[in-house]
């Protein structure tokens, strides 16, 4: 037993193995307290927490929207704490093959843009409608049509205006540059004529049409939202340019047809997330093939996925919101009473260790031989400002990064805990509690970061943590792709948290568990 205790003590004191468990120390640390082997204590300390203003702007180009899991946002949402947020999406369009041959006497029947929002796929969310007497219009073929309908995942006022958003598609008239060029979310882009518009009712569907005579497939589509676009525009813009320089190469084409903007007309409702690489643009047309005498039905799929420019375009109106009336926030010396965290260019949260807190812990370490077993930043949602039915940030719904200064420049990296322990079994950099209650609260593991300062004397004067409402993205091999690969550019989440408010029992705290022998 004595030998076991000695080994465990060396592990804890050396900071080589730390697990994040709540509310007690991890199972390894608990063994130190058995049979009076050591004394365990949990103490709360003050933190300096403040708003980081990102000027409602963020990089939202293809590298940020396509990387990792990938995402883009469409919609609008207004509420009293943050004001109005509106999200549009721009994409280039390319030809799959240049200098295409559409055949003779080509006539465009229809053009469809398909957006595929994330949706609730559980069987109890599915609604199926079957039409046994459907007549397929091309040739008046007797058929069966099956439509599967799913609710899209939404954030905001999901029942506002009956759950309807008017989605509009415009031609973009500004050149969108290249795939690797940087683009920011608040950049304005010139647009031209409306190419199509359709009401989105909050649901997506798949369609399957089969022939009655032999059950062969006449038409099928994946789950998505289909927006009809102008057939005459594509006849003039694409078909009539057959053999012309505009369709000869990619460089000329993306300057001729510069792209599409998808937006909503409303200023309130909800936000939906979709995959930009899964967007489809299909032109259905008829033409006469070489050697034939009659026209046949064809379809032409443009390239709107990988390789194109993709841009999230976000606008905000903070007028009369609690955020706009909060006054001079961003106090790095004493902190802010409320923390307004929001994805897609909204505020981040900055957190610093006060000198008084570090001095107190160093005194414990030096005089009482106290070793830090666990350290967590505990942050509560504001029980008054964020008392609503909007989904609270979930498990892994935050990123936490370590900021410092080196050679006069700010540096960014994972926290020491993520750098050293992310591959350790059972390690979690954050935990979520009481999501169905008011308030909910969140614990962020900073054990190793604090041990380095208190027990090793690492300089902390310019060090701080940056917390965002976003996810760390994973690489294709598994594990975190890197500290700069996150979902910040398309994270729809927002919440108000309690900051360094001395009069609020839920104020942000550093919770430290230490042992003495």
């Amino acid at each position: 037993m004595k030998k076991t205790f000695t080994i465990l003590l060396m592990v804890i004191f050396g900071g080589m193995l730390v697990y994040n468990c709540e509310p007690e120390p991890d199972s390894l640390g608990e063994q130190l307290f058995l049979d009076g082997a050591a004394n365990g204590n949990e103490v709360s300390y003050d933190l300096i927490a403040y708003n980081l203003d990102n000027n409602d702007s963020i990089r939202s180009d293809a590298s940020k929207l396509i990387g990792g899991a990938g995402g883009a946002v469409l919609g609008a949402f207004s509420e009293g704490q943050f004001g109005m947020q509106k999200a549009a999406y721009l994409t280039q369009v390319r030809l799959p093959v240049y200098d295409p041959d559409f055949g003779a006497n080509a006539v465009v029947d229809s053009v469809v843009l398909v957006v595929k929002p994330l949706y609730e796929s559980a069987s109890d969310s599915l609604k199926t409608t079957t039409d046994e007497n459907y007549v397929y219009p091309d040739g008046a073929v007797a058929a069966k049509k099956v439509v599967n309908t799913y609710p899209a995942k939404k954030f905001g006022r999901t029942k506002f205006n009956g759950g309807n958003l008017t989605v509009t598609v415009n031609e973009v008239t500004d050149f969108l540059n290249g795939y690797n060029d940087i683009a920011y979310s608040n950049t304005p882009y010139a647009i031209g004529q409306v190419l199509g518009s359709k009401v989105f009712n909050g649901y997506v569907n798949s369609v399957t049409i089969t022939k009655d005579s032999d059950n062969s497939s006449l038409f099928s589509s994946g789950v998505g939202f289909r927006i009809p676009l102008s057939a005459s525009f594509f006849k003039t813009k694409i078909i009539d340019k057959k053999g012309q320089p505009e369709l000869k190469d990619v460089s000329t084409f993306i300057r001729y047809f510069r792209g599409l903007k998808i937006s909503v007309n409303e200023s309130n409702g909800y936000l939906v997330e979709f995959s930009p690489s899964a967007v489809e643009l299909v032109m259905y047309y008829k033409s006469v093939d070489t050697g034939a005498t009659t026209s046949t039905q064809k379809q032409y799929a443009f390239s709107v996925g990988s390789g194109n420019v993709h841009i999230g375009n976000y606008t905000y109106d903070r007028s009369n919101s609690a955020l706009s009336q909060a006054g001079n926030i961003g106090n790095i010396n004493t902190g802010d009473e409320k923390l307004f965290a929001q994805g897609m260019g909204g505020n981040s949260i900055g957190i610093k260790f006060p000198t008084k807190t570090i001095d107190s812990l160093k005194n414990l370490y030096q005089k009482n031989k106290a070793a830090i077993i666990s350290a967590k930043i505990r942050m509560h949602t504001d029980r008054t400002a964020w008392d609503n039915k909007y989904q609270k940030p979930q498990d892994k719904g935050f990123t936490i990064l370590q900021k410092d200064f080196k050679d006069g420049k700010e540096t960014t990296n994972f926290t020491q805990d993520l750098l050293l322990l992310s591959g350790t079994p059972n390690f979690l950099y954050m935990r979520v509690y009481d999501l169905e209650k008011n308030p909910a609260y969140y614990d962020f593991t900073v054990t190793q970061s604090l041990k380095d300062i208190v027990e090793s004397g690492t300089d902390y004067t310019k060090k701080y943590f940056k917390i965002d409402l976003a996810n760390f993205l994973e690489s294709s091999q598994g594990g975190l792709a890197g500290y700069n690969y996150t979902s910040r550019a398309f994270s729809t989440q927002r919440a108000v948290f309690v900051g360094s408010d001395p009069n609020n029992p839920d104020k942000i705290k550093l919770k430290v568990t230490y042992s003495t022998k």
Side-chain angles (χ1 to χ4, degrees), residues 80-108:
Q81 293 297 317
F82 292 87
M84 190 277 293
Q85 177 184 17
K86 199 167 187 177
Y89 165 71
L90 294 90
T91 180
Q92 280 180 334
V93 176
R94 302 189 184 208
L95 302 177
V97 178
Y98 288 88
D99 199 14
D101 183 0
F102 298 108
N105 303 320
V107 177
V108 179

Side-chain angles (χ1 to χ4, degrees), residues 50-56 79-85 316-330 336 338-343 345-349 385-386 494-497:
Y50 50 94
N51 291 275
L52 292 170
D53 186 0
N54 295 308
N55 298 312
D56 288 339
E79 46 77 29
Q81 293 297 317
F82 292 87
M84 190 277 293
Q85 177 184 17
Y316 295 88
D317 183 357
R318 307 291 192 187
S319 302
N320 301 317
S321 67
L323 175 56
S324 69
Q325 296 172 359
N328 186 24
I329 59 176
D336 295 329
K338 285 184 171 59
L339 305 172
F340 296 86
Q342 185 178 22
N347 285 355
S348 306
I349 296 172
W386 207 242
R494 69 187 69 189
V496 182
F497 301 92

Side-chain angles (χ1 to χ4, degrees), residues 118-372:
L118 302 183
Y119 61 94
E120 304 289 350
S121 58
S123 58
D124 58 355
S125 300
L126 169 64
K127 179 182 178 181
T128 300
T129 303
T130 303
D131 185 353
E132 297 283 358
N133 300 313
Y134 182 76
V135 177
Y136 188 64
D138 187 14
V141 180
K144 178 174 74 171
K145 181 180 181 181
V146 179
V147 179
N148 289 325
T149 302
Y150 306 84
K153 293 183 178 180
K154 300 176 278 288
F155 183 82
R157 300 181 184 274
T158 59
K159 297 181 180 179
F160 185 84
N161 192 33
N164 295 325
L165 289 172
T166 306
V167 180
T168 298
V169 181
N170 291 80
E171 180 186 12
V172 176
T173 56
D174 276 342
F175 179 53
L176 298 180
N177 296 319
Y179 178 84
N180 294 316
D181 290 318
I182 293 173
Y184 287 91
S185 61
N186 61 341
T187 302
Y189 296 91
I191 57 174
Q193 63 178 295
V194 173
L195 303 183
S197 184
K198 186 178 180 180
V199 173
F200 177 61
N201 65 359
Y203 292 83
V204 292
N205 57 60
S206 64
V207 179
T208 302
I209 302 174
T210 54
K211 191 185 299 185
D212 284 349
S213 60
D214 59 6
N215 205 36
S216 61
S217 176
L218 292 170
F219 177 83
S220 64
S221 70
V223 179
F225 173 60
R226 300 167 63 84
I227 309 165
L229 303 186
S230 170
S232 61
F233 172 87
F234 281 86
K235 173 70 165 59
T236 302
K237 194 81 174 180
I238 304 297
I239 296 292
D240 291 351
K241 291 295 181 179
K242 174 185 172 182
Q244 300 299 308
E246 289 87 341
L247 309 189
K248 291 286 187 180
D249 61 79
V250 61
S251 179
T252 303
F253 183 76
I254 61 176
R255 286 168 173 80
Y256 164 64
F257 186 9
R258 297 180 175 180
L260 302 173
K261 179 180 180 180
I262 310 172
S263 60
V264 300
N265 296 355
E266 293 80 6
S267 296
N268 204 352
Y270 52 83
L271 305 170
V272 293
E273 184 183 333
F274 63 95
S275 171
S277 59
V279 173
E280 299 174 1
L281 178 62
V282 182
M283 178 174 66
Y284 298 90
Y285 70 102
K286 292 187 181 74
S287 67
V288 180
D289 295 329
T290 302
T293 57
T294 59
S295 62
T296 55
Q297 182 73 45
K298 302 176 179 68
Q299 65 182 55
Y300 189 84
F302 294 89
S303 173
V304 288
S306 299
N308 287 285
V309 170
H310 303 274
I311 300 172
N313 191 225
Y314 314 140
T315 55
Y316 295 88
D317 183 357
R318 307 291 192 187
S319 302
N320 301 317
S321 67
L323 175 56
S324 69
Q325 296 172 359
N328 186 24
I329 59 176
N331 188 330
I332 63 173
N333 296 314
T334 59
D336 295 329
E337 293 185 357
K338 285 184 171 59
L339 305 172
F340 296 86
Q342 185 178 22
M344 298 166 60
N347 285 355
S348 306
I349 296 172
I351 299 175
K352 297 197 306 182
F353 294 130
T355 301
K356 183 178 180 181
T357 292
I358 296 302
D359 287 347
S360 177
L361 286 165
K362 283 184 175 180
N363 185 62
L364 271 174
Y365 176 68
Q366 293 165 0
K367 292 187 176 181
N368 298 348
K369 307 301 180 184
I372 296 171

Side-chain angles (χ1 to χ4, degrees), residues 58-59 63-64 67-68 348 398-404 406 409-420 422 429 464-475 478-489:
I58 191 171
R59 267 193 68 179
S63 67
K64 299 299 181 183
S348 306
F398 295 83
T399 60
I400 178 169
L401 296 174
Q402 185 172 282
K403 295 279 194 173
D404 210 337
K406 185 176 182 180
K409 295 181 179 179
E410 187 173 71
T411 63
T412 305
N413 208 337
F414 288 123
T415 64
Q416 287 298 103
D417 296 83
L418 275 165
L419 284 171
L420 298 176
S422 61
Y429 71 90
Y464 69 96
F465 298 107
K466 179 174 178 284
I467 291 177
D468 277 294
L469 283 175
N471 301 325
F472 284 120
L473 302 180
E474 295 187 352
S475 68
L480 301 184
Y483 73 83
N484 56 337
Y485 292 95
T486 77
S487 64
R488 275 191 66 211

